[in-house]
Amino acid sequence: MDPLIIVLAFSAGLLLRRAGMPPMLGYLIAGFVGHALSIGSGDALAPIADAGVTLLLFTIGLKLSVGALKPAYVWGSAFLHMIIAVPLTAAVILLVGHLYQPLSFSNTSSAWALAFALSFSSTVFAIKLCEERGESSSFYASIAIGILVVQDIMAVVFLGLASGKFPTVWAFALLLLPFTKPLIQRMLRAIGHGELLLFSGIAFALTMSAVFEFVNIKGGLGALLIGVLVAHADRDKAKELHDKLLGIKNLLLIGFFLQIGYYGFPSVVMIIVACVLALLVVLRPIIYFSLLTLLGLRARTAWFTGILLFNYSEFGLIVAAAAVQAGMLASDWVTTLTLAMALSFFVATPINKNVHHYYLKYRGKLTKFERDKRLPEEEIEPLGQVGTAVLGMGRVGRNAYEALHIAGHKSIVGVEQSLERTEAHKSDGFNCVHGDASDRDFWERTGLINCDLIMVGLSNHRENLQIVELAHDLGFKGKLAVAARFADNKEELEKLGCISFNLYEEAGRDFALHTLRRLETESAA
């Protein structure tokens, strides 16, 4: 790979970062500039881009619960959106083909194939936005990822049909994969926690991708499924593996965004058509918001999910390329779709960046679309009369809750985002309610703001900062205590008036105090 494209990508990413935009948009620009200046090539970037997407799907699998795909608001909204969006898009692109000969269609089935390709949203883009906002574990993010997984499965089926390659007889052997869970468990225990664990993740993802390709099934689906299997085999190891892969996955995905620019630079007419298609994507969040509220979700959840899916997909390019190879589309459409996808990213990014602001501004209008009867996952439980709240009942939050209880604090409540884990905590004897700590509606409807002490035990610094900002905006007068992983995170939180505790730096002190207390107890006995 030409070193100049690396310098160009880094410089563009840094400039966009300084401008308050995600670096990924800089990588997109760098790809188009590199192609225009004949620096590097898409072929050189392809292995890096493919590996990045494969690892992305594997890490999605590590955090994906199969149960997350079961609710009707996930698979139902995915299918219904497609039923609504595809005919509308097909009508627009047929009109475009009629007006501009190079983008015309020999038959209407080609237009429908392209409309199908344009119905997907970008998994890579959605994941990156959630990570940058610190909301990867939020309820709306899990819904969006579920919808994207359903879309990816539909894309895989289409690719198989369009290529004329059907799964070989060996594909039936893949049905035995669930029975490998005990073997995966033993393997993970033997691997330990070092670099071998990181290597195992890469090996799992790339090997299973190759196996699926061998039997004529899209390799990304194999990476996703093996990720799910690893997560079911050992949830703790899956989380550790996910964290270890995060950096290398993000690095490789730079290749994916760069590669988009090398699909070709469009003509003036193609640019106009791409702009029309980019405007068409505005309908997407409207459709998703309508469907999700109709299916019983709150306006906030529907709004955040719809805005996160407010873009075109990299899978759309793959589907369009397959349609070109099958003789269903003119090759100029791939270039046009590439620019339309890039433009959709540029349109969606500033809106996603200010999604909280827009929800607050239009909340009164949006909540009018909520149904009177909502799903259990969307009910906001009352806190009761409590003085202390622990936000996030993972390891840190649960231990903090127990320590407070031992110290004599009785009016404590834990707030957990997962309904399933909330019920588990309740059965273990904790006073725990289901809710999203970063949800302004939750703060206002439950009276969380009236607590004397709020302890934030979340592991993501961006999400912690978001909660602190929300507390200040609402005029919280009590004390905020926030866990931090790094010294600069702790310093930033203390400047905001929080009590902050460095989980790593001060762990040794806690270890020593625990040991001394244990020795005192044993000597007294």
Side-chain angles (χ1 to χ4, degrees), residues 138-417:
S138 65
F139 181 50
Y140 82 85
S142 68
I143 295 173
I145 297 304
I147 291 170
L148 289 165
V149 169
V150 173
Q151 289 181 349
D152 290 349
I153 292 171
M154 288 190 281
V156 168
V157 172
F158 175 86
L159 289 170
L161 295 173
S163 65
K165 294 180 180 179
F166 293 92
T168 67
V169 67
W170 292 104
F172 288 105
L174 298 177
L175 297 174
L176 299 175
L177 279 176
F179 298 100
T180 63
K181 180 178 175 181
L183 177 62
I184 294 173
Q185 286 175 327
R186 287 196 294 271
M187 190 183 300
L188 290 172
R189 283 196 294 267
I191 285 170
H193 304 278
E195 73 281 353
L196 195 57
L197 180 62
L198 174 63
F199 187 31
S200 73
I202 297 172
F204 274 128
L206 298 184
T207 302
M208 194 53 62
S209 174
V211 168
F212 270 60
E213 291 284 355
F214 177 74
V215 297
N216 286 345
I217 299 177
K218 190 65 179 172
L221 184 60
L224 178 73
L225 290 178
I226 193 63
V228 173
L229 277 174
V230 170
H232 278 263
D234 191 326
R235 184 65 63 181
D236 290 336
K237 267 291 173 58
K239 185 180 185 305
E240 184 182 353
L241 182 54
H242 179 276
D243 293 342
K244 281 183 176 292
L245 284 170
L246 195 61
I248 191 169
K249 176 204 72 177
N250 289 340
L251 183 64
L252 292 173
L253 282 174
I254 294 173
F256 166 78
F257 288 105
L258 284 170
Q259 189 191 32
I260 291 174
Y262 286 91
Y263 277 94
F265 207 81
S267 65
V268 174
V269 175
M270 289 183 189
I271 292 173
I272 295 171
V273 174
C275 291
V276 172
L277 292 175
L279 289 174
L280 192 63
V281 82
V282 173
L283 294 174
R284 185 155 301 179
I286 297 172
I287 295 171
Y288 275 118
F289 178 84
S290 302
L291 291 173
L292 292 170
T293 50
L294 184 65
L295 291 168
L297 295 176
R298 284 195 295 137
R300 180 183 185 274
T301 306
W303 166 258
F304 278 70
T305 304
I307 296 298
L308 191 60
L309 299 172
F310 183 17
N311 50 69
Y312 289 126
S313 171
E314 62 281 355
F315 253 127
L317 297 181
I318 298 170
V319 169
V324 169
Q325 291 177 355
M328 300 172 68
L329 282 178
S331 59
D332 285 351
W333 269 112
V334 178
T335 304
T336 305
L337 184 55
T338 299
L339 182 59
M341 187 184 77
L343 288 173
S344 76
F345 286 1
F346 278 96
V347 172
T349 297
I351 296 175
N352 270 279
K353 186 179 178 182
N354 296 289
V355 66
H356 290 274
H357 168 74
Y358 290 132
Y359 174 71
L360 183 61
K361 184 177 180 179
Y362 300 109
R363 180 171 54 172
K365 296 179 180 178
L366 293 172
T367 51
K368 291 179 180 178
F369 293 93
E370 290 182 347
R371 296 183 63 181
D372 294 333
K373 186 177 181 181
R374 291 191 291 270
L375 297 169
E377 300 95 314
E378 288 286 67
E379 291 295 339
I380 295 179
E381 296 183 60
L383 298 183
Q385 296 297 318
V386 294
T388 303
V390 179
L391 307 185
M393 289 291 285
R395 290 178 182 175
V396 174
R398 185 173 172 127
N399 288 335
Y401 184 108
E402 289 177 334
L404 288 167
H405 185 72
I406 292 170
H409 292 253
K410 300 303 180 185
S411 59
I412 316 169
V413 65
V415 178
E416 171 55 50
Q417 195 162 240

Side-chain angles (χ1 to χ4, degrees), residues 36-52:
L37 299 177
S38 299
I39 301 172
S41 70
D43 291 338
L45 289 164
I48 299 171
D50 291 344

